[in-house]
Amino acid sequence: MTYDGAGEQVGAKSRFDQLVKHYRINRHLIEPYSPWQNRAETGIRIIKAKWKRLMSRRGVPKRLWDFALVWISEVYSRTATKNGRTGFEVITGDTPDISEWIDFTFYDWVWYWHPPDLTGNPHIGRWLGVSHRVGSALCYWIL
């Protein structure tokens, strides 16, 4: 494991340090202010740049920052890289199902019906992303 030595990680009595020692995890501490030594930092930098661009271009309110960050991370992990495979595929070995992400873009205007009145007029809202583990397949967060 490679990490940057944040205070919550390197304290001798920190929970993180105890678990690393308990499970005998090989660890490598990078030098301070050297993000190029940790490959994960590149991915974080890319996602943050995409997040800032999305928030600005779509006019997303700041209070929805977490929904935007989750959406960008999920789309990015299902986007093919130079080797032709997605991050999701590399980790799990499964080809990702992108059907939940192809209908809408983050903060799109959408029409929806609020149960139990599915016969009445639809309401208008903003699409915030896929709601995993809530409801059935193809359920979304709507504002």
Side-chain angles (χ1 to χ4, degrees), residues 62-109:
K62 289 181 181 178
R63 70 177 185 264
L64 299 176
W65 68 269
D66 51 343
F67 284 98
L69 204 52
V70 167
W71 181 79
I72 288 170
S73 299
E74 288 177 340
V75 169
Y76 188 67
S77 72
R78 288 162 175 81
T79 303
T81 58
K82 295 177 194 173
N83 66 3
R85 296 180 67 193
T86 67
F88 182 86
E89 188 177 2
V90 170
I91 299 294
T92 65
D94 298 328
T95 303
D97 178 13
I98 62 168
S99 58
E100 296 174 309
W101 286 272
I102 60 175
D103 290 329
F104 308 105
T105 290
F106 186 77
Y107 210 58
D108 269 352
W109 288 106

Side-chain angles (χ1 to χ4, degrees), residues 51-60:
W51 171 75
K52 286 179 182 178
R53 220 173 11 253
L54 175 77
M55 296 292 282
S56 173
R57 289 184 180 167
R58 306 278 302 170
V60 180

Side-chain angles (χ1 to χ4, degrees), residues 17-36:
D17 193 55
Q18 291 171 356
L19 290 172
V20 167
K21 286 178 183 175
H22 176 76
Y23 291 107
R24 297 183 178 129
I25 297 171
N26 292 330
R27 54 190 165 168
H28 173 73
L29 188 65
I30 64 172
E31 295 175 22
Y33 309 105
S34 305
W36 56 88

